[in-house]
């Protein structure tokens, strides 16, 4: 009887999960570069999604100043997966006081990585006030229609 | 035992249908990149604008012309060469807004020319100190862009390729100072059972 109840519970849970009730995991990785009081840049990496971190490695984070005074960022990503994966990323830029410049001004940008491929994501700050940045990376989205 | 399992499977199927077919209305993320169809959508527009403006602002050509001053720029309407009805003025507006935020250029706007002419004409007859005609700063550079589309279908697969090309032209010399393009590929694989 106990076994039956467990099976029933499992089936119901599975049904709820596949039926669309389960919210997708939208957490991911955050890579970036911070500037301290002396202006020395330090890289930053935060992993919130261990599943994503298993197949995606942040190889390198570079920040530089473009010739017209805008901060440029380059983040190199490598896929550990043999199959094609789609991720999406979004830049956030911060001024010297730590305030985000133009929040939500940058859209989520999809990036396709083929098996074990390394690709770079580049961004340019929206204003010359930017001194640090964060790149949020999460799994790509797709639309599935069952019926 | 077998009959109770059947009932459980039936109940699970009903729950699956109820969970998946419920109509839901909620606020979404305005910057989401979720593709809902192969048509040109808001996520495509945002991606194109972000990529093109980033490319233009970080180019050596832009660095040279904006090194000591803010040159006057005019953004021409995007030419829609796709088969779809796309609000190209919205793309133009987004490009201009993002460029204005960078504070690297000054702008002239031809889309509001009619209202501006009416206002100036009204001022000449009704205002004490009207703004005189012929004092506007002339645009020095023009930003032009094209959006084109190539669609292919084979069996259950539909592939749509979009190409957005943008170039910056010096109005005095007629030379192209900068150009770049952004490509987007969207793929739809139809399910075996229907649309």
């Amino acid at each position: 009887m106990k076994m039956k109840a467990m099976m029933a519970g499992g089936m119901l849970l599975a049904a709820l999960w596949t039926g669309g009730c389960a919210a997708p995991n939208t957490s991911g990785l955050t890579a970036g570069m911070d500037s301290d009081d002396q202006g020395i840049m330090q890289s930053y990496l935060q992993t919130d999604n261990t599943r994503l971190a298993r197949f995606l490695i942040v190889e390198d984070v570079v920040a530089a100043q473009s010739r017209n005074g805008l901060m440029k960022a380059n983040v190199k990503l490598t896929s550990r997966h043999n199959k094609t994966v789609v991720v999406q990323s979004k830049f956030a830029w911060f001024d010297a006081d730590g305030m985000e410049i133009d929040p939500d001004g940058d859209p989520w940008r999809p990036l396709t990585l083929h098996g074990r491929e390394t690709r770079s994501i580049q961004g340019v700050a929206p204003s010359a006030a930017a001194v640090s940045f964060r790149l949020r990376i999460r799994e790509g989205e797709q639309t599935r229609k069952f019926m | 035992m077998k009959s109770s399992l059947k009932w459980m499977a039936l109940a699970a199927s009903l729950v699956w249908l109820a969970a998946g077919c419920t109509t839901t209305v909620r606020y979404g993320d305005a910057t989401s990149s979720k593709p809902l169809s192969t048509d040109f959508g808001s996520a495509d527009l945002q991606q194109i604008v972000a990529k093109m403006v980033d490319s233009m602002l970080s180019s050596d050509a832009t660095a040279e012309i904006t090194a000591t001053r803010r040159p006057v720029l005019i953004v021409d309407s995007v030419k829609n060469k796709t088969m779809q009805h796309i609000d190209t003025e919205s793309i133009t507006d987004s490009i201009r807004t993002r460029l204005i935020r960078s504070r690297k250029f000054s702008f002239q706007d031809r889309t509001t020319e009619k209202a501006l002419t009416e206002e100036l004409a009204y001022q000449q007859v009704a205002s004490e100190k009207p703004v005189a005609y012929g004092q506007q700063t002339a645009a020095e550079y023009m930003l032009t862009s094209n959006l084109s589309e190539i669609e292919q279908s084979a069996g259950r697969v539909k592939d749509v390729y979009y190409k957005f090309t943008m170039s910056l032209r010096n109005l005095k010399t007629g030379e192209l100072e900068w150009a770049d393009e952004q490509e987007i590929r969207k793929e739809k694989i139809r399910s075996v059972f229907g649309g």
Side-chain angles (χ1 to χ4, degrees):
Chain A
M1 191 66 190
K2 207 175 173 185
M3 185 72 179
K4 259 197 224 173
M6 277 172 68
M7 276 176 72
M11 282 170 87
L12 280 174
L13 268 176
L16 282 168
W17 182 265
T18 56
C21 277
N25 184 357
T26 52
S27 65
L29 315 173
T30 307
M33 201 69 113
D34 285 329
S35 174
D36 65 11
D37 296 340
Q38 278 90 43
I40 298 165
M41 304 295 278
Q42 286 183 327
S43 61
Y44 169 96
L45 180 64
Q46 183 183 318
T47 305
D48 296 316
N49 185 333
T50 45
R51 187 180 164 273
L52 183 65
R54 270 203 297 272
F55 66 81
L56 198 69
I57 313 163
V58 178
E59 295 269 9
D60 197 15
V61 181
V62 181
Q65 205 82 2
S66 68
R67 275 181 62 196
N68 58 4
L70 296 173
M71 190 180 191
K72 273 168 75 175
N74 187 91
V75 178
K76 205 193 279 181
L77 298 175
T78 296
S79 167
R80 279 183 186 167
H81 221 300
N82 287 329
K83 293 178 182 172
T84 299
V85 290
V86 179
V87 295
Q88 52 183 331
S89 65
K90 179 181 191 164
F91 277 102
W93 303 90
F94 301 88
D95 65 15
D97 299 323
M99 304 278 276
E100 186 169 351
I101 301 166
D102 187 18
D104 271 338
D106 204 47
W108 284 101
R109 306 180 201 201
L111 177 77
T112 303
L113 287 149
H114 298 293
R116 308 216 167 242
E117 190 183 21
T118 299
R119 288 189 70 181
S120 292
I121 302 173
Q122 288 191 342
V124 179
S127 107
V131 294
S132 62
F133 77 91
R134 292 276 185 276
L135 178 71
R136 298 167 189 144
I137 307 154
R138 62 180 196 185
E139 285 179 52
E141 291 179 288
Q142 58 181 325
T143 301
R144 282 180 190 278
K145 281 190 257 178
F146 291 101
M147 283 184 264
Chain B
M1 176 74 180
K2 269 187 180 174
S3 144
S4 56
L5 266 175
K6 267 185 202 168
W7 279 110
M8 274 183 244
L10 184 66
S13 308
L14 285 172
V15 169
W16 183 84
L17 280 172
C21 302
T22 318
T23 305
T24 311
V25 178
R26 62 181 179 188
Y27 284 107
D29 178 3
T31 61
S32 165
S33 71
K34 188 173 187 176
L36 293 174
S37 75
T38 52
D39 290 348
F40 190 83
S42 64
D44 306 316
L45 184 151
Q46 290 174 336
Q47 270 183 66
I48 279 172
V49 170
K51 163 78 181 9
M52 299 313 286
V53 174
D54 278 6
S55 167
M56 184 176 150
L57 289 177
S58 61
S59 71
D60 285 348
T62 305
E64 267 172 36
I65 61 178
T66 59
T68 53
R69 64 194 185 89
R70 292 170 61 194
V72 185
L73 186 66
I74 188 165
V75 184
D76 189 28
S77 300
V78 176
K79 287 175 187 64
N80 180 10
K81 294 178 178 174
T82 70
M83 301 297 281
Q84 299 173 41
H85 172 74
I86 296 167
D87 181 6
T88 52
E89 203 171 317
S90 174
I91 306 176
T92 314
D93 288 347
S94 296
I95 292 169
R96 189 168 45 222
T97 305
R98 215 171 155 98
L99 281 170
I100 286 173
R101 282 182 185 152
S102 75
R103 302 198 55 77
K104 294 290 171 193
F105 291 94
S106 298
F107 283 85
Q108 282 289 0
D109 178 17
R110 289 275 174 273
T111 57
T112 52
E113 209 58 35
K114 198 175 165 221
L116 189 133
T117 310
E118 277 174 18
E119 172 59 23
L120 284 180
Y122 177 76
Q123 281 188 13
Q124 306 310 311
V125 291
S127 300
E128 196 184 338
K129 290 180 182 169
V131 173
Y133 283 116
Q135 294 197 105
Q136 286 185 15
T137 48
E140 301 165 77
Y141 295 91
M142 183 183 261
L143 205 56
T144 53
S145 18
N146 287 313
L147 177 64
S148 55
E149 169 195 25
I150 298 171
E151 189 181 312
Q152 285 180 300
S153 294
R156 295 191 295 120
V157 180
K158 181 182 175 187
D159 179 286
V160 186
Y161 166 85
Y162 296 99
K163 189 173 80 168
F164 188 84
T165 313
M166 200 161 99
S167 44
L168 181 69
R169 191 166 188 188
N170 185 328
L171 290 178
K172 190 178 173 186
T173 62
E175 290 170 1
L176 284 179
E177 299 278 356
W178 166 89
D180 200 358
E181 60 184 28
Q182 157 86 341
E183 296 158 310
I184 292 176
R185 169 158 260 134
K186 294 173 98 173
E187 196 176 62
K188 180 183 177 182
I189 303 165
R190 203 158 26 87
S191 85
V192 180
F193 307 104

